[in-house]
Coordinates of all heavy atoms in Angstrom, one line a residue:
M190 N 0.9 -1.2 0.0 CA 0.0 0.0 0.0 C 0.9 1.2 0.1 O 1.9 1.3 0.7 CB -0.9 0.0 1.2 CG -1.8 1.2 1.3 SD -2.7 1.3 2.9 CE -3.3 -0.4 2.9
R191 N 0.5 2.2 -0.7 CA 1.3 3.4 -0.8 C 0.9 4.3 0.4 O -0.1 4.2 0.9 CB 0.9 4.3 -2.1 CG 1.3 3.6 -3.3 CD 1.1 4.3 -4.6 NE 0.0 5.2 -4.4 CZ -0.3 6.1 -5.3 NH1 0.3 6.3 -6.3 NH2 -1.4 7.0 -5.0
A192 N 1.8 5.2 0.8 CA 1.5 6.1 1.8 C 0.6 7.1 1.4 O 0.3 7.3 0.3 CB 2.8 6.8 2.2
G193 N -0.2 7.6 2.3 CA -1.2 8.5 2.0 C -2.6 8.2 2.6 O -2.6 7.5 3.7
R194 N -3.7 8.5 2.0 CA -5.0 8.3 2.5 C -5.4 6.9 2.3 O -5.2 6.3 1.4 CB -6.0 9.3 1.9 CG -5.8 10.7 2.2 CD -6.8 11.5 1.6 NE -6.4 13.0 1.7 CZ -7.3 13.9 1.4 NH1 -8.5 13.6 0.9 NH2 -7.0 15.2 1.5
F195 N -6.2 6.5 3.2 CA -6.9 5.2 3.1 C -8.3 5.3 3.9 O -8.2 6.1 4.8 CB -6.0 4.0 3.5 CG -5.7 3.9 5.0 CD1 -6.6 3.1 5.8 CD2 -4.7 4.7 5.6 CE1 -6.4 3.0 7.1 CE2 -4.6 4.5 6.9 CZ -5.4 3.7 7.8
H196 N -9.2 4.4 3.7 CA -10.2 4.2 4.5 C -10.0 3.2 5.4 O -9.6 2.0 5.2 CB -11.6 4.0 3.6 CG -11.9 5.1 2.8 ND1 -12.9 5.9 3.1 CD2 -11.3 5.6 1.5 CE1 -13.0 6.9 2.1 NE2 -12.1 6.6 1.1
G197 N -10.4 3.4 6.7 CA -10.3 2.4 7.7 C -11.6 2.4 8.6 O -12.4 3.3 8.5
F198 N -11.7 1.4 9.5 CA -12.7 1.4 10.5 C -12.2 0.8 11.8 O -11.1 0.0 11.7 CB -14.0 0.7 10.0 CG -13.7 -0.7 9.7 CD1 -14.1 -1.7 10.6 CD2 -13.3 -1.1 8.4 CE1 -13.9 -3.0 10.4 CE2 -13.1 -2.5 8.1 CZ -13.4 -3.4 9.1
V199 N -12.9 1.1 12.8 CA -12.5 0.6 14.2 C -13.6 -0.1 14.8 O -14.7 0.3 14.8 CB -11.9 1.7 15.1 CG1 -11.7 1.2 16.5 CG2 -10.7 2.4 14.4
V200 N -13.3 -1.4 15.3 CA -14.3 -2.1 16.1 C -14.1 -2.0 17.6 O -12.8 -2.5 17.9 CB -14.4 -3.6 15.6 CG1 -15.4 -4.3 16.5 CG2 -14.9 -3.6 14.1
R201 N -14.9 -1.6 18.4 CA -14.6 -1.6 20.0 C -15.2 -2.8 20.5 O -16.2 -3.4 20.1 CB -15.4 -0.4 20.5 CG -14.9 1.0 20.2 CD -13.5 1.3 20.8 NE -13.5 1.2 22.2 CZ -13.4 2.3 23.0 NH1 -13.6 3.5 22.5 NH2 -13.2 2.0 24.2
R202 N -14.3 -3.3 21.4 CA -14.8 -4.5 22.3 C -14.4 -4.3 23.6 O -13.2 -4.4 23.9 CB -14.2 -5.9 21.8 CG -14.8 -6.4 20.4 CD -14.5 -7.8 20.3 NE -15.5 -8.5 19.8 CZ -15.5 -9.8 19.5 NH1 -14.4 -10.5 19.7 NH2 -16.5 -10.4 18.9
G203 N -15.3 -3.8 24.5 CA -15.0 -3.4 25.8 C -14.1 -2.3 25.8 O -14.2 -1.2 25.1
D204 N -12.9 -2.4 26.4 CA -11.8 -1.3 26.5 C -10.8 -1.6 25.4 O -10.0 -0.6 25.1 CB -11.0 -1.5 27.8 CG -11.9 -1.1 29.0 OD1 -13.0 -0.3 28.8 OD2 -11.7 -1.6 30.1
A205 N -11.0 -2.5 24.4 CA -10.1 -2.7 23.4 C -10.6 -2.1 22.1 O -11.9 -2.0 21.9 CB -9.8 -4.2 23.2
A206 N -9.8 -1.9 21.1 CA -10.2 -1.4 19.8 C -9.3 -2.1 18.7 O -8.2 -2.4 19.0 CB -10.0 0.1 19.7
F207 N -9.9 -2.5 17.6 CA -9.2 -3.1 16.6 C -9.5 -2.5 15.3 O -10.7 -2.3 14.9 CB -9.8 -4.6 16.5 CG -9.6 -5.3 17.7 CD1 -10.5 -5.3 18.6 CD2 -8.4 -6.0 18.0 CE1 -10.4 -6.1 19.9 CE2 -8.3 -6.7 19.3 CZ -9.3 -6.7 20.2
G208 N -8.4 -2.1 14.6 CA -8.5 -1.2 13.4 C -8.2 -1.9 12.2 O -7.3 -2.8 12.2
Y209 N -8.9 -1.8 11.1 CA -8.6 -2.4 9.7 C -8.8 -1.4 8.7 O -9.6 -0.5 8.7 CB -9.6 -3.6 9.6 CG -9.4 -4.6 10.6 CD1 -10.4 -4.7 11.7 CD2 -8.4 -5.5 10.7 CE1 -10.2 -5.6 12.7 CE2 -8.3 -6.5 11.7 CZ -9.2 -6.5 12.7 OH -9.0 -7.3 13.6
V210 N -8.0 -1.7 7.7 CA -8.2 -1.0 6.4 C -9.4 -1.4 5.8 O -9.8 -2.6 5.8 CB -7.0 -1.3 5.4 CG1 -7.1 -0.7 4.1 CG2 -5.7 -0.7 6.0
D211 N -10.3 -0.5 5.3 CA -11.7 -0.9 4.7 C -11.5 -1.4 3.4 O -11.8 -0.8 2.3 CB -12.5 0.3 4.8 CG -13.9 0.0 4.5 OD1 -14.2 -1.2 4.2 OD2 -14.8 0.9 4.3
R212 N -11.0 -2.6 3.2 CA -10.8 -3.2 1.9 C -10.9 -4.8 2.1 O -10.1 -5.4 2.8 CB -9.3 -2.9 1.5 CG -9.2 -3.2 -0.1 CD -7.8 -2.7 -0.4 NE -7.6 -3.1 -1.8 CZ -6.4 -3.2 -2.3 NH1 -5.2 -3.2 -1.5 NH2 -6.2 -3.5 -3.5
C213 N -11.8 -5.4 1.3 CA -12.1 -6.8 1.5 C -11.1 -7.5 0.8 O -10.7 -7.1 -0.4 CB -13.5 -7.1 1.0 SG -13.9 -8.9 1.1
P214 N -10.4 -8.6 1.4 CA -9.5 -9.3 0.7 C -10.0 -10.2 -0.5 O -9.2 -10.7 -1.4 CB -8.9 -10.3 1.7 CG -9.9 -10.3 2.8 CD -10.6 -9.0 2.8
H215 N -11.3 -10.2 -0.6 CA -11.9 -11.0 -1.7 C -11.8 -10.4 -3.1 O -11.1 -10.8 -4.0 CB -13.4 -11.3 -1.5 CG -14.0 -12.0 -2.6 ND1 -15.4 -11.7 -2.9 CD2 -13.7 -13.1 -3.3 CE1 -15.7 -12.4 -4.0 NE2 -14.7 -13.3 -4.3
M216 N -12.3 -9.0 -3.2 CA -12.2 -8.3 -4.4 C -11.6 -6.9 -4.2 O -11.7 -6.1 -5.1 CB -13.5 -8.3 -5.1 CG -14.1 -9.7 -5.6 SD -15.6 -9.6 -6.4 CE -15.1 -9.0 -8.0
G217 N -11.1 -6.6 -3.0 CA -10.7 -5.3 -2.8 C -11.7 -4.2 -2.7 O -11.2 -3.0 -2.7
L218 N -12.8 -4.5 -2.4 CA -13.9 -3.5 -2.3 C -14.0 -3.0 -0.9 O -13.6 -3.8 0.0 CB -15.2 -4.1 -2.9 CG -15.4 -4.5 -4.1 CD1 -16.6 -5.3 -4.4 CD2 -15.2 -3.4 -5.1
P219 N -14.5 -1.8 -0.6 CA -14.8 -1.4 0.8 C -15.9 -2.3 1.4 O -16.8 -2.7 0.6 CB -15.2 0.0 0.7 CG -15.1 0.4 -0.8 CD -14.8 -0.8 -1.6
L220 N -15.8 -2.7 2.5 CA -16.7 -3.8 3.1 C -18.2 -3.4 3.2 O -19.1 -4.0 2.9 CB -16.2 -4.2 4.5 CG -15.0 -5.2 4.4 CD1 -13.6 -4.4 4.3 CD2 -15.1 -6.1 5.7
A221 N -18.3 -2.1 3.7 CA -19.6 -1.5 4.0 C -20.1 -0.7 2.8 O -19.5 0.2 2.3 CB -19.6 -0.6 5.3
Q222 N -21.5 -1.0 2.4 CA -22.0 -0.2 1.4 C -22.9 0.9 2.0 O -23.3 1.9 1.4 CB -22.9 -1.0 0.6 CG -22.1 -2.1 -0.3 CD -23.0 -2.9 -1.1 OE1 -23.8 -2.5 -2.0 NE2 -23.0 -4.2 -1.0
K223 N -23.2 0.8 3.3 CA -23.8 1.9 4.1 C -22.9 2.4 5.1 O -22.1 1.5 5.7 CB -25.1 1.3 4.6 CG -26.2 1.0 3.7 CD -27.5 0.7 4.2 CE -27.5 -0.6 5.0 NZ -28.8 -1.0 5.5
L224 N -23.0 3.6 5.5 CA -22.1 4.1 6.6 C -22.1 3.4 7.8 O -23.2 3.1 8.4 CB -22.5 5.6 6.8 CG -21.6 6.4 7.7 CD1 -20.3 6.7 7.2 CD2 -22.2 7.8 8.0
D225 N -20.9 3.0 8.3 CA -20.7 2.4 9.6 C -21.5 1.1 9.7 O -21.6 0.4 10.8 CB -21.2 3.2 10.8 CG -20.3 4.5 10.9 OD1 -19.2 4.4 10.5 OD2 -20.8 5.4 11.5
D226 N -21.7 0.3 8.5 CA -22.4 -0.9 8.6 C -21.3 -2.0 8.4 O -21.3 -2.7 7.4 CB -23.4 -0.9 7.4 CG -24.3 -2.1 7.5 OD1 -24.5 -2.7 8.6 OD2 -24.9 -2.6 6.4
Y227 N -20.5 -2.3 9.4 CA -19.5 -3.2 9.5 C -19.7 -4.5 10.2 O -19.0 -5.5 10.0 CB -18.2 -2.6 9.8 CG -17.7 -1.6 9.1 CD1 -17.8 -0.2 9.4 CD2 -16.9 -1.8 7.9 CE1 -17.5 0.8 8.5 CE2 -16.4 -0.8 7.1 CZ -16.7 0.5 7.4 OH -16.2 1.5 6.6
V228 N -20.6 -4.5 11.2 CA -20.6 -5.6 12.2 C -22.0 -6.1 12.2 O -23.0 -5.3 12.3 CB -20.2 -5.2 13.5 CG1 -20.3 -6.3 14.6 CG2 -18.6 -4.7 13.5
A229 N -22.2 -7.5 12.3 CA -23.4 -8.2 12.5 C -23.2 -9.4 13.2 O -22.2 -10.2 12.9 CB -24.2 -8.4 11.2
D230 N -24.0 -9.6 14.2 CA -23.8 -11.0 15.0 C -22.4 -11.1 15.5 O -21.8 -12.2 15.4 CB -24.3 -12.1 14.1 CG -25.8 -12.1 13.9 OD1 -26.5 -11.5 14.8 OD2 -26.2 -12.6 12.8
D231 N -21.8 -10.0 16.0 CA -20.4 -10.2 16.5 C -19.3 -10.5 15.5 O -18.3 -11.1 15.8 CB -20.5 -11.1 17.8 CG -19.3 -10.7 18.7 OD1 -19.1 -9.5 18.8 OD2 -18.8 -11.5 19.3
R232 N -19.6 -10.4 14.3 CA -18.6 -10.6 13.2 C -18.5 -9.4 12.3 O -19.5 -8.7 12.1 CB -19.0 -11.8 12.3 CG -19.2 -13.0 13.1 CD -17.8 -13.7 13.3 NE -17.9 -14.9 13.9 CZ -17.7 -15.3 15.1 NH1 -17.4 -14.3 16.0 NH2 -17.7 -16.5 15.6
I233 N -17.4 -9.1 11.8 CA -17.2 -8.1 10.6 C -17.7 -8.7 9.4 O -17.5 -9.9 9.0 CB -15.8 -7.6 10.5 CG1 -15.4 -6.9 11.7 CG2 -15.7 -6.7 9.4 CD1 -13.8 -6.7 11.8
V234 N -18.6 -8.0 8.7 CA -19.3 -8.7 7.5 C -18.9 -7.8 6.3 O -19.0 -6.5 6.3 CB -20.8 -8.6 7.7 CG1 -21.5 -9.3 6.5 CG2 -21.1 -9.5 8.9
C235 N -18.6 -8.3 5.1 CA -18.5 -7.7 4.0 C -19.8 -7.6 3.3 O -20.5 -8.7 3.2 CB -17.5 -8.4 3.0 SG -17.4 -7.4 1.4
S236 N -20.3 -6.5 2.9 CA -21.7 -6.4 2.4 C -21.8 -6.8 1.0 O -23.0 -7.0 0.4 CB -22.1 -4.9 2.5 OG -21.2 -4.2 1.7
W237 N -20.8 -7.1 0.4 CA -20.9 -7.5 -1.1 C -21.2 -9.0 -1.4 O -22.1 -9.3 -1.9 CB -19.5 -7.2 -1.8 CG -19.3 -5.6 -1.9 CD1 -18.6 -4.9 -1.1 CD2 -20.0 -4.7 -2.7 NE1 -18.7 -3.6 -1.3 CE2 -19.5 -3.4 -2.4 CE3 -20.8 -4.8 -3.8 CZ2 -20.0 -2.3 -3.1 CZ3 -21.4 -3.7 -4.4 CH2 -20.9 -2.5 -4.1
H238 N -20.3 -9.9 -0.8 CA -20.5 -11.3 -0.9 C -20.4 -12.1 0.3 O -20.4 -13.3 0.4 CB -19.4 -11.8 -1.9 CG -19.1 -11.0 -3.2 ND1 -18.2 -10.2 -3.4 CD2 -20.1 -10.9 -4.3 CE1 -18.3 -9.6 -4.6 NE2 -19.4 -9.9 -5.0
G239 N -20.6 -11.3 1.4 CA -20.9 -12.0 2.7 C -19.8 -12.5 3.4 O -19.9 -13.4 4.4
A240 N -18.6 -12.3 3.0 CA -17.4 -12.7 3.9 C -17.5 -12.3 5.5 O -18.0 -11.2 5.6 CB -16.1 -12.2 3.4
L241 N -17.2 -13.1 6.3 CA -17.2 -12.9 7.6 C -15.7 -12.9 8.3 O -14.9 -13.8 7.9 CB -18.0 -13.9 8.4 CG -19.4 -14.2 7.8 CD1 -20.0 -15.5 8.5 CD2 -20.3 -13.0 8.1
F242 N -15.5 -11.9 9.2 CA -14.2 -11.7 9.7 C -14.2 -11.7 11.2 O -15.2 -11.1 11.7 CB -13.5 -10.6 9.1 CG -13.4 -10.5 7.6 CD1 -14.4 -9.9 6.9 CD2 -12.3 -11.1 7.0 CE1 -14.4 -9.9 5.5 CE2 -12.3 -11.2 5.6 CZ -13.3 -10.5 4.8
D243 N -13.2 -12.2 11.9 CA -13.1 -12.1 13.3 C -12.7 -10.7 13.7 O -11.8 -10.2 13.1 CB -12.1 -13.1 13.9 CG -11.8 -13.0 15.3 OD1 -12.9 -13.4 16.0 OD2 -10.9 -12.6 15.8
P244 N -13.5 -10.1 14.6 CA -13.2 -8.7 14.9 C -11.8 -8.4 15.6 O -11.3 -7.3 15.5 CB -14.4 -8.3 15.9 CG -15.5 -9.2 15.6 CD -14.8 -10.6 15.2
E245 N -11.3 -9.4 16.3 CA -10.1 -9.3 17.0 C -8.8 -9.6 16.2 O -7.7 -9.1 16.4 CB -10.1 -10.1 18.3 CG -11.2 -9.6 19.3 CD -11.1 -10.2 20.6 OE1 -10.2 -11.0 20.9 OE2 -12.1 -10.1 21.4
S246 N -9.0 -10.4 15.2 CA -7.8 -10.8 14.4 C -7.9 -10.5 12.9 O -6.9 -10.4 12.2 CB -7.6 -12.4 14.5 OG -8.6 -13.0 13.8
G247 N -9.1 -10.2 12.6 CA -9.4 -9.9 11.1 C -9.4 -11.1 10.2 O -9.5 -11.1 8.9
A248 N -9.3 -12.3 10.7 CA -9.1 -13.5 10.0 C -10.5 -13.8 9.4 O -11.6 -13.6 10.1 CB -8.7 -14.7 10.9
C249 N -10.5 -14.4 8.1 CA -11.7 -14.7 7.5 C -12.3 -16.0 8.3 O -11.7 -16.9 8.4 CB -11.5 -15.0 6.1 SG -13.0 -15.5 5.1
L250 N -13.6 -15.9 8.5 CA -14.2 -17.0 9.2 C -15.2 -17.7 8.3 O -15.7 -18.8 8.7 CB -15.0 -16.4 10.4 CG -14.1 -15.8 11.6 CD1 -15.1 -15.3 12.6 CD2 -13.1 -16.7 12.1
G251 N -15.5 -17.3 7.1 CA -16.4 -17.8 6.2 C -16.6 -16.9 5.0 O -16.3 -15.6 5.0
G252 N -17.2 -17.5 3.9 CA -17.4 -16.7 2.7 C -16.3 -17.0 1.6 O -15.7 -18.0 1.7
P253 N -16.2 -16.2 0.7 CA -15.4 -16.5 -0.5 C -13.9 -16.2 -0.4 O -13.3 -16.3 -1.5 CB -16.1 -15.6 -1.5 CG -16.5 -14.4 -0.8 CD -16.9 -14.9 0.5
C254 N -13.3 -15.9 0.7 CA -11.9 -15.6 0.8 C -11.3 -16.4 2.0 O -10.7 -15.7 2.8 CB -11.7 -14.2 0.9 SG -12.7 -13.3 1.9
P255 N -11.5 -17.7 2.1 CA -10.8 -18.5 3.3 C -9.4 -18.3 3.2 O -8.7 -18.2 2.0 CB -11.3 -19.9 3.0 CG -11.7 -20.0 1.5 CD -12.1 -18.6 1.2
G256 N -8.8 -18.3 4.4 CA -7.3 -18.2 4.5 C -6.8 -16.8 4.4 O -5.6 -16.6 4.5
T257 N -7.6 -15.8 4.3 CA -7.1 -14.4 4.2 C -7.6 -13.7 5.6 O -8.2 -14.3 6.3 CB -7.9 -13.7 3.1 OG1 -9.3 -13.6 3.2 CG2 -7.6 -14.4 1.7
R258 N -7.1 -12.5 5.5 CA -7.5 -11.6 6.8 C -7.5 -10.2 6.3 O -7.0 -9.8 5.3 CB -6.6 -11.9 7.9 CG -5.2 -11.4 7.7 CD -4.3 -11.8 8.9 NE -4.4 -13.1 9.5 CZ -4.9 -13.6 10.5 NH1 -5.3 -12.8 11.4 NH2 -5.0 -14.8 10.9
L259 N -8.3 -9.4 7.0 CA -8.3 -8.0 6.8 C -6.9 -7.4 7.2 O -6.1 -7.8 7.9 CB -9.3 -7.3 7.7 CG -10.7 -7.8 7.6 CD1 -11.7 -7.1 8.6 CD2 -11.3 -7.3 6.1
T260 N -6.6 -6.3 6.4 CA -5.3 -5.6 6.7 C -5.4 -4.7 8.0 O -6.3 -3.9 8.1 CB -4.9 -4.6 5.5 OG1 -4.8 -5.4 4.4 CG2 -3.5 -4.0 5.7
P261 N -4.6 -5.1 9.0 CA -4.7 -4.3 10.2 C -4.3 -2.8 10.1 O -3.5 -2.5 9.2 CB -3.7 -5.0 11.2 CG -2.7 -5.8 10.4 CD -3.4 -6.0 9.0
W262 N -4.9 -1.9 10.9 CA -4.7 -0.6 11.0 C -4.4 -0.5 12.5 O -5.3 -0.5 13.3 CB -5.8 0.2 10.5 CG -5.6 1.7 10.8 CD1 -4.5 2.5 11.0 CD2 -6.8 2.7 11.0 NE1 -4.9 3.8 11.2 CE2 -6.2 3.9 11.3 CE3 -8.2 2.4 11.1 CZ2 -7.0 5.0 11.6 CZ3 -9.0 3.6 11.4 CH2 -8.4 4.8 11.6
P263 N -3.1 -0.2 12.8 CA -2.7 -0.2 14.4 C -3.5 1.1 15.1 O -3.3 2.2 14.7 CB -1.3 0.1 14.3 CG -0.8 -0.2 13.0 CD -2.0 0.0 12.0
V264 N -4.3 0.7 16.1 CA -5.0 1.7 16.8 C -4.8 1.3 18.3 O -4.5 0.1 18.5 CB -6.5 1.9 16.5 CG1 -6.6 2.3 15.1 CG2 -7.2 0.6 16.6
R265 N -4.9 2.2 19.2 CA -5.0 1.8 20.6 C -6.0 2.8 21.4 O -6.2 3.8 20.8 CB -3.6 1.9 21.2 CG -2.9 3.3 21.2 CD -1.5 3.1 21.6 NE -0.9 4.5 21.7 CZ -0.4 5.1 20.7 NH1 -0.5 4.5 19.5 NH2 0.1 6.3 20.8
V266 N -6.4 2.5 22.5 CA -7.2 3.3 23.4 C -6.4 4.0 24.4 O -5.6 3.3 25.1 CB -8.4 2.6 23.9 CG1 -9.2 3.4 24.9 CG2 -9.2 1.9 22.9
E267 N -6.5 5.3 24.5 CA -5.7 6.1 25.5 C -6.7 7.0 26.2 O -7.3 7.8 25.5 CB -4.5 6.9 24.9 CG -3.3 6.2 24.4 CD -2.3 7.0 23.8 OE1 -2.4 8.3 23.9 OE2 -1.3 6.5 23.2
A268 N -6.9 6.7 27.4 CA -7.8 7.5 28.3 C -9.3 7.6 27.6 O -9.8 8.6 27.5 CB -7.3 8.8 28.6
G269 N -9.7 6.4 27.0 CA -11.0 6.3 26.4 C -11.1 6.8 25.0 O -12.1 6.8 24.3
T270 N -10.0 7.4 24.4 CA -9.9 7.8 23.0 C -9.1 7.0 22.2 O -8.1 6.6 22.5 CB -9.3 9.3 23.0 OG1 -10.1 10.1 23.9 CG2 -9.4 9.8 21.7
I271 N -9.7 6.6 20.9 CA -8.9 6.0 20.0 C -7.9 6.8 19.3 O -8.3 7.7 18.8 CB -9.9 5.2 19.0 CG1 -10.9 4.3 19.7 CG2 -9.2 4.5 18.0 CD1 -11.9 3.7 18.9
V272 N -6.6 6.2 19.3 CA -5.6 6.9 18.6 C -4.9 6.0 17.6 O -4.9 4.7 17.9 CB -4.6 7.6 19.6 CG1 -5.2 8.6 20.5 CG2 -4.0 6.4 20.4
T273 N -4.2 6.5 16.7 CA -3.5 5.6 15.9 C -2.0 6.2 15.6 O -1.8 7.3 16.0 CB -4.2 5.5 14.4 OG1 -3.4 4.6 13.5 CG2 -4.1 6.9 13.7
A274 N -1.2 5.4 15.2 CA 0.2 5.8 14.9 C 0.4 6.9 14.0 O -0.4 7.0 13.1 CB 1.1 4.7 14.7
Ligands
FES161 S1 -15.8 -8.3 -1.9 FE1 -16.1 -8.9 0.2 S2 -16.9 -10.8 0.1 FE2 -16.6 -10.2 -2.0

C-alpha cells in the first residue's frame, strides 16, 4: 500500500479497539455499502458477498476468501480515546 490516505474502520470490544483498512481481501472493495455498517452478529461482515471476519484478528471465518484476513490498522485506546500511529 502506498503512503497517503486510506479508508479504515475501528471495532470496539470493551476497552479494546481493533482497526482495519476498509478493503475486503476477496475483491478489494470497501466492506460496507452503508455508513458504519461493518458488524453483524459479533462478526465483521463484507456487504458485497458475505465474507465474515473475526473482529479481534481480522481472519476470514467464512465466505469467498478463506485463509485471508483484513489488513490491520494499528490503533489503541488512550484514556478512552482511540488513537493511531
Ligand atoms: S468483496 Fe467482500 S466478500 Fe466479495
Side-chain angles (χ1 to χ4, degrees):
M190 177 185 313
R191 294 184 331 173
R194 295 183 184 190
F195 71 96
H196 291 261
F198 62 97
V199 175
V200 177
R201 293 288 304 254
R202 283 198 145 180
D204 292 335
F207 303 90
Y209 298 102
V210 175
D211 189 5
R212 187 171 185 215
C213 182
H215 178 222
M216 294 185 71
L218 300 170
L220 282 84
Q222 296 183 55
K223 293 188 288 185
L224 185 64
D225 292 336
D226 191 23
Y227 292 98
V228 176
D230 295 329
D231 207 32
R232 299 282 187 259
I233 297 169
V234 181
C235 180
S236 62
W237 295 97
H238 311 108
L241 302 172
F242 303 93
D243 178 72
E245 295 186 11
S246 70
C249 180
L250 301 173
C254 46
T257 65
R258 64 182 55 240
L259 299 172
T260 302
W262 171 28
V264 298
R265 63 186 183 279
V266 179
E267 288 184 3
T270 300
I271 296 172
V272 296
T273 187

